[in-house]
């Protein structure tokens, strides 16, 4: 095979890979690479001011599910007493026939908390679009194409009517149809042509003290909270989570015990000082809660929400490399491919292994220094295609 044709085929393969990595089929490869870089780059992960209050096996053995409003009121009272910045609930606070007194106690505790986040669910219902609930903010500073955002026609689950004015509503919808680890989470949805926040984005807005009027959204680019936080998102409005972000975990029973110990003037058995100013989320983490793949382990929905908010708090966002960097890498891959033209098959194989190894080290160094994720499939795929073409050329001689 003549060198110009050889290099042209390698270049075409790179351009095709560059286009296809933006689509759903190959995107997980790049996300897996970003996670690998995050895990192996040596960049230390700082602890985030997020506290996950866990409803575990012991709590459910003591009080069967679903819990009553009183159980949730005790959490709000304890978290508020330890000066939590945001008191959030992952379980839906809705009951068919709640105890009126316990519901009133819960409402009172929520009104005393500094900021409260409650969960809901969006869905699809045939017929007309009912109006969006008044407690859901609508973003006005939206630019670009919103056509690929998840679109919904109905709010299918909301907190009890008695609690709706006691907290902010965020929607917990996840999209679990993808194979492999769940690394992305939606920050925005579309409803009746309006762009509205997810549970995670609403939580981040509350913690940062940002109003909807201060949020700027450009699908495929970013969500900007005021002037200080810019969150990269894809066209579907999803953010890449840093799953290794350290957060504080406290069992629900331990939190209540700490509140009782504090009221009696005794030192709590857990470090409740970490609740001060923190985003504090109550969520199930027991074995019966639906499980998700979170990196090398499984976790619950609440754990995923907590890690997503923690990623925003730390602003540890894995940023894709600019387009010009991808084209520069194509040129570098072509230079490596040019070495294969006159090399033996074993020589080409050795050169390919060395080139890929060096590239991985460079990618790790770049991520550790700047959190920029260099592309994987374009340069490595071009080298692989060049190696295959060199092998086929040798066989046909």
């Amino acid at each position: 095979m003549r060198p110009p044709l050889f290099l042209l085929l390698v270049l075409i393969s790179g351009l095709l890979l560059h286009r296809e990595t933006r689509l759903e089929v190959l995107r997980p490869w790049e996300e897996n690479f970003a996670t690998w870089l995050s895990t192996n780059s040596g960049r230390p992960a700082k602890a985030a001011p997020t506290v996950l209050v866990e409803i575990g096996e012991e709590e459910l053995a003591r009080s069967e599910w679903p819990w009553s409003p009183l159980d949730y009121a005790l959490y709000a009272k304890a978290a508020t007493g330890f000066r939590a910045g945001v008191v959030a609930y992952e379980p839906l606070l809705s009951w068919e026939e709640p105890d009126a007194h316990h519901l009133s106690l819960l409402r009172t505790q929520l009104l005393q908390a500094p900021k409260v986040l409650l969960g809901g669910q969006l869905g699809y219902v045939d017929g007309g679009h009912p109006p969006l609930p008044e407690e859901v903010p609508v973003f006005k500073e939206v630019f670009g194409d919103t056509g690929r955002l998840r679109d919904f026609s109905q709010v299918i689950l909301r907190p009890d009517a008695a609690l709706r004015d006691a907290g902010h509503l965020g929607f917990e919808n996840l999209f679990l149809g993808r194979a492999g680890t769940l690394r992305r989470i939606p920050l925005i949805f579309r409803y009746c042509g309006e762009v509205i926040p997810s549970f995670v984005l609403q939580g981040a807005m509350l913690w940062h003290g940002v109003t909807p009027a201060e949020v700027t959204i450009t699908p495929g680019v970013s969500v900007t909270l005021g002037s200080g936080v810019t969150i990269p998102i894809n066209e579907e409005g999803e953010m890449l989570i840093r799953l290794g972000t350290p957060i504080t975990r406290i069992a629900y029973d331990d939190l209540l015990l700490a509140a009782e110990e504090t009221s009696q003037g005794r030192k709590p058995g857990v470090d409740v000082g970490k609740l001060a100013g923190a985003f504090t989320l109550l969520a199930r983490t027991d074995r019966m809660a639906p499980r998700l793949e979170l990196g090398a382990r499984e976790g619950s929905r609440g754990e995923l929400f907590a890690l997503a908010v923690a990623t925003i708090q730390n602003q540890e966002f894995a940023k894709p490399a600019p387009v010009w960097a991808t084209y520069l890498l194509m040129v570098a891959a072509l230079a490596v491919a040019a070495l294969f033209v006159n090399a033996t098959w074993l020589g080409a194989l050795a050169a390919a292994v060395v080139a890929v190894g060096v590239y991985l080290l460079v990618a790790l160094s770049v991520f550790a220094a700047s959190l920029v994720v260099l592309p994987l499939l374009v340069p490595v795929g071009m080298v692989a295609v060049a190696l295959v073409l060199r092998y086929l050329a040798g066989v046909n001689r």
Side-chain angles (χ1 to χ4, degrees):
M1 183 181 299
R2 294 182 177 180
L5 178 60
F6 179 86
L7 295 178
L8 178 61
L9 291 175
V10 174
L11 177 60
I12 291 173
S13 70
L15 293 172
L16 290 174
L17 285 169
H18 178 49
R19 184 190 69 178
E20 295 300 318
T21 50
R22 302 177 182 180
L23 304 179
E24 190 66 33
V25 176
L26 294 183
R27 185 188 297 167
W29 287 77
E30 298 294 340
E31 293 180 359
N32 290 340
F33 186 52
T35 301
W36 181 82
L37 291 174
S38 177
T39 303
N40 297 282
S41 66
R43 184 183 179 93
K46 61 180 180 180
T50 290
V51 177
L52 178 64
V53 179
E54 301 182 272
I55 303 173
E57 313 298 336
E58 294 184 5
E59 286 79 8
L60 292 178
R62 174 185 51 78
S63 180
E64 66 179 14
W65 198 259
W67 276 6
S68 75
L70 179 61
D71 297 297
Y72 295 121
L74 294 174
Y75 156 69
K77 181 179 180 180
T80 302
F82 292 124
R83 297 180 290 112
V86 177
V87 177
Y89 292 84
E90 182 265 330
L92 180 69
L93 301 190
S94 180
W95 303 265
E96 291 186 1
E97 297 181 358
D99 181 286
H101 177 61
H102 289 171
L103 187 61
S104 177
L105 286 176
L106 174 57
R107 172 180 165 78
T108 299
Q109 292 300 328
L110 294 182
L111 290 173
Q112 292 177 358
K115 299 174 184 178
V116 175
L117 175 61
L118 307 176
Q121 287 282 335
L122 296 166
Y124 306 92
V125 177
D126 294 335
H129 292 252
L132 192 64
E134 293 183 0
E135 64 267 28
V136 179
V138 172
F139 298 119
K140 298 301 182 182
E141 297 296 314
V142 180
F143 305 92
D145 183 15
T146 63
R148 294 184 62 180
L149 299 182
R150 305 284 181 167
D151 195 16
F152 295 93
S153 63
Q154 179 72 277
V155 178
I156 58 174
L157 294 175
R158 295 171 63 188
D160 191 279
L163 307 176
R164 291 174 189 169
D165 64 344
H168 299 263
L169 180 61
F171 297 105
E172 301 178 352
N173 296 70
L174 296 176
F175 309 104
L176 307 179
R178 303 171 182 171
T181 300
L182 186 62
R183 296 187 175 91
R184 287 192 172 273
I185 195 164
L187 295 187
I188 50 177
F189 304 113
R190 192 173 61 184
Y191 181 96
C192 297
E194 303 285 358
V195 177
I196 61 176
S198 71
F199 184 85
V200 168
L201 182 56
Q202 182 70 276
M205 290 166 57
L206 290 174
W207 189 81
H208 281 284
V210 174
T211 66
E214 298 173 282
V215 177
T216 304
I217 296 172
T218 306
V221 180
S222 66
V223 172
T224 301
L225 307 182
S227 59
V229 181
T230 299
I231 310 167
I233 59 172
N234 62 15
E235 292 83 356
E236 289 81 20
E238 297 171 328
M239 177 195 79
L240 191 63
I241 306 168
R242 189 170 190 190
L243 295 173
T245 302
I247 61 174
T248 301
R249 295 169 178 264
I250 299 177
Y252 172 90
D253 284 350
D254 289 343
L255 177 66
L256 298 193
L257 178 60
E260 182 178 350
E261 290 171 333
T262 301
S263 67
Q264 296 174 358
R266 293 185 290 151
K267 183 179 179 180
V270 294
D271 187 3
V272 294
K274 292 187 176 180
L275 275 80
F279 177 85
T280 306
L281 174 64
L282 178 69
R284 286 184 60 174
T285 59
D286 61 289
R287 291 190 298 269
M288 297 304 293
R291 312 305 287 174
L292 307 172
E293 291 186 35
L294 306 180
R297 64 179 181 84
E298 288 189 340
S300 68
R301 290 163 49 92
E303 290 177 85
L304 182 71
F305 294 144
L307 289 170
V309 173
T311 300
I312 297 174
Q313 290 174 322
N314 283 353
Q315 300 186 45
E316 289 281 313
F317 307 118
K319 302 178 286 290
V323 175
W324 63 262
T326 301
Y327 291 137
L328 188 62
L329 289 170
M330 287 185 186
V331 174
L334 282 175
V336 173
L339 300 176
F340 297 175
V341 175
N342 296 317
T344 64
W345 161 244
L346 291 179
L349 178 61
V353 171
V354 171
V356 171
V358 169
Y359 178 68
L360 293 179
L361 291 176
V362 170
L364 285 168
S365 300
V366 170
F367 185 88
S370 62
L371 288 173
V372 171
V373 180
L374 295 179
L376 172 69
L377 292 181
V378 170
V380 174
M382 290 177 66
V383 171
V385 168
L387 194 62
V388 170
L389 291 176
R390 175 63 187 84
Y391 175 78
L392 294 177
V395 170
N396 293 330
R397 284 179 180 173

